[in-house]
Amino acid sequence: KTRKMNLRKRLDMCCISKQIAETGSTSKVLIMTDVSRAQRAAFARGSFLLLLAVSCHAFAFNPAAPHAIFQGRHPVLRARSSRPAASLKLRMVSQEMVQGVVDASQAGLHLAFADQGSNLAGKFFQASLLPYLAFLYFLNNNGAKTPKLSGFGFGFLLLFVIATIPTGIISKTVYGVSLADVDWLHGSAEALLTVTNILIAVGFRDAMSSGTAEGERGTLKIVAIAIAALVAGAAAIGSPVLGFEAHTPFLAGLGDLPSNFFASMGAASEPANALSIPTWAIHFSSVFEWIFAMRLVWDYADASKDQTWKGLTWGMLPLHASGVAACTYHFFYNNPDLSFLVALQAGLTCLGNFTVAIAAARIALANGWKVPFFSSTEAASQQGDEKKQFLESKPPQESDTMLIAKLAGLTVTSAYLVKYGELFLSLPFQANAVAAIAMVATPPALLASFYLQKAAAAQEAA
């Protein structure tokens, strides 16, 4: 047994020497402990958690930090590397895998599927965080009387942003493709966005029906956190334990039809990276819920007698366009020739985060908020108390059951129409940039026209 172990060490050292000779450098050779499949899995899990932590830190403070892991400059790894080299049992990891992890760490920083596009998209996504944090700060100002559940929902969106980091890393390191092409990871991450929009919409709806912004629906919050935990757990065990492949459908492809179901009618065959019905449903649900939330925010302005809330509806419009851009990219089966759509999505997200931050600042200013350190806290508090909003109770026009049924019906119908209807068209299989831009621009333009008409009607009535 000892001779076999010594022989294995010699073979490993030969592999290392050969790799160094081929690359001409030792900086690209990664050495790691490895004696069994269980230990490899444990190492992978530990590396995943470390990379996630450093990526989150880098996103907020230093975009170059993840690369320090592979250059031995990270303080944690520097401390670990001080152990005697003789205590390690060595194995070679290919240079391609190392480069894949480096690329994945950068993709994780780009957030929200930015690994599909260029560096410009990543810069937009990173730049969008600060204005969104400002938005949350102003929105949760006491004087604004934001419904507590909606405030929780807007904050919950950060979990979706964080979730795209490890899922992007897994898609790159395990499967070698972008997150948008790994259906089970894609759908899992997108589910958090759907939960976010539900929390926002329910919060505003409850506030107007009850006449108070204090309702929290603790059970709904617990469910939301449980879903986030399930997404995290699925991402951790999906590949190593459950054996999920790159194109394993989300939720086992619930509702998917057989691949040749429409072949006799002249339908084209789906590419391997086509979205499943559950993933398409998640996307459409998010879009429809956001539109519904925009309408509720508009109505909340009348219920609270604070017209500055209507500015938030306008501020949410670029974020709606961002969601449409993502759906358009998936409509074209994530065609690399249309990767500008990813940069467009990222740019619209960044723009939208700035517009909602400005809208929230207007709401806060209208309700007594003062610049810290430049005004009396007591005076600002008194002014806020004087301008506290009175919510006019408005019973909902339809029951929760009817509303859920309508949303579910619209979501499922849209998912089936797009997934299988596009198989009868040639457009999705072409890189038609003009058509893609038109598809992105049309829904937000129609929505803007709708609110312009509502604003004009309100002015005439006044």
Side-chain angles (χ1 to χ4, degrees):
K1 183 176 179 180
T2 302
R3 285 197 298 270
K4 288 182 179 179
M5 291 177 64
N6 291 335
L7 178 61
R8 181 178 180 181
K9 288 182 180 179
R10 294 192 188 98
L11 290 174
D12 288 338
M13 293 306 297
C14 289
C15 291
I16 294 173
S17 300
K18 182 179 179 181
Q19 183 73 4
I20 293 174
E22 291 177 353
T23 60
S25 172
T26 59
S27 62
K28 295 182 179 180
V29 178
L30 180 66
I31 301 172
M32 60 188 292
T33 60
D34 176 45
V35 293
S36 68
R37 182 180 298 273
Q39 287 180 328
R40 286 199 299 272
F43 181 90
R45 287 193 294 269
S47 300
F48 169 80
L49 294 175
L50 175 62
L51 186 58
L52 172 58
V54 175
S55 297
C56 291
H57 167 79
F59 174 74
F61 302 106
N62 180 12
H67 298 279
I69 293 179
F70 307 101
Q71 298 172 3
R73 294 185 287 105
H74 193 274
V76 176
L77 294 187
R78 191 159 54 238
R80 297 284 294 178
S81 63
S82 63
R83 295 184 177 182
S87 64
L88 297 177
K89 296 181 180 180
L90 305 177
R91 182 174 76 90
M92 178 60 57
V93 177
S94 67
Q95 178 183 347
E96 290 77 8
M97 180 177 179
V98 176
Q99 188 60 43
V101 177
V102 175
D103 293 341
S105 68
Q106 185 173 2
L109 295 178
H110 288 173
L111 304 178
F113 315 137
D115 57 322
Q116 303 166 8
S118 63
N119 290 334
L120 179 61
K123 292 177 181 177
F124 276 135
F125 277 117
Q126 292 179 53
S128 67
L129 178 62
L130 187 59
Y132 193 78
L133 294 177
F135 162 68
L136 293 178
Y137 169 76
F138 288 118
L139 197 70
N140 289 299
N141 177 56
N142 289 334
K145 291 298 263 187
T146 303
K148 287 190 174 181
L149 184 60
S150 297
F152 175 82
F154 281 117
F156 191 85
L157 180 66
L158 294 176
L159 285 182
F160 163 71
V161 174
I162 293 172
T164 59
I165 298 175
T167 52
I169 292 172
I170 293 171
S171 65
K172 281 290 186 181
T173 57
V174 178
Y175 305 115
V177 296
S178 69
L179 177 58
D181 292 325
V182 183
D183 194 76
W184 69 273
L185 277 174
H186 185 186
S188 298
E190 197 73 22
L192 297 179
L193 185 58
T194 295
V195 172
T196 294
N197 296 345
I198 290 175
L199 292 169
I200 295 169
V202 171
F204 280 106
R205 179 179 167 88
D206 284 355
M208 287 186 287
S209 62
S210 64
T212 177
E214 301 302 314
E216 295 194 53
R217 286 214 189 191
T219 302
L220 190 56
K221 289 183 178 181
I222 293 174
V223 171
I225 295 173
I227 292 174
L230 287 174
V231 170
I237 69 173
S239 175
V241 177
L242 301 179
F244 289 167
E245 300 295 336
H247 302 304
T248 298
F250 177 53
L251 295 181
L254 180 66
D256 283 359
L257 300 177
S259 57
N260 59 350
F261 191 82
F262 294 105
S264 61
M265 303 180 188
S269 299
E270 279 189 317
N273 67 339
L275 270 61
S276 64
I277 283 293
T279 302
W280 266 123
I282 286 290
H283 279 75
F284 279 114
S285 176
S286 297
V287 171
F288 295 146
E289 289 159 6
W290 190 254
I291 293 174
F292 182 53
M294 291 174 65
R295 176 62 183 269
L296 289 172
V297 171
W298 186 277
D299 293 341
Y300 191 74
D302 296 328
S304 63
K305 297 180 172 58
D306 183 359
Q307 296 302 304
T308 56
W309 276 98
K310 291 183 178 179
L312 182 56
T313 295
W314 288 109
M316 296 167 70
L317 188 60
L319 295 174
H320 165 66
S322 174
V324 175
C327 291
T328 301
Y329 186 59
H330 302 324
F331 175 84
F332 287 95
Y333 299 109
N334 308 330
N335 192 323
D337 293 333
L338 295 177
S339 60
F340 74 89
L341 288 172
V342 181
L344 178 61
Q345 177 199 0
L348 289 168
T349 298
C350 187
L351 173 62
N353 285 358
F354 273 103
T355 53
V356 294
I358 293 171
R362 292 181 66 247
I363 295 171
L365 287 169
N367 289 277
W369 181 83
K370 298 294 182 181
V371 179
F373 308 114
F374 291 95
S375 61
S376 169
T377 303
E378 182 178 357
S381 176
Q382 290 176 355
Q383 187 174 359
D385 290 338
E386 293 174 359
K387 293 190 175 184
K388 276 188 176 180
Q389 299 161 308
F390 172 77
L391 294 181
E392 181 182 347
S393 178
K394 291 184 177 181
Q397 298 179 353
E398 54 189 357
S399 65
D400 290 348
T401 303
M402 181 60 67
L403 184 62
I404 293 172
K406 285 185 177 181
L407 178 61
L410 185 60
T411 296
V412 173
T413 301
S414 299
Y416 275 99
L417 284 177
V418 172
K419 179 174 174 62
Y420 296 111
E422 65 177 334
L423 297 179
F424 293 92
L425 306 174
S426 60
L427 179 62
F429 302 93
Q430 302 172 359
N432 192 325
V434 175
I437 293 174
M439 291 173 65
V440 174
T442 300
L446 293 175
L447 204 55
S449 176
F450 171 77
Y451 284 109
L452 284 173
Q453 293 176 8
K454 284 183 69 68
Q459 287 183 350
E460 291 179 1

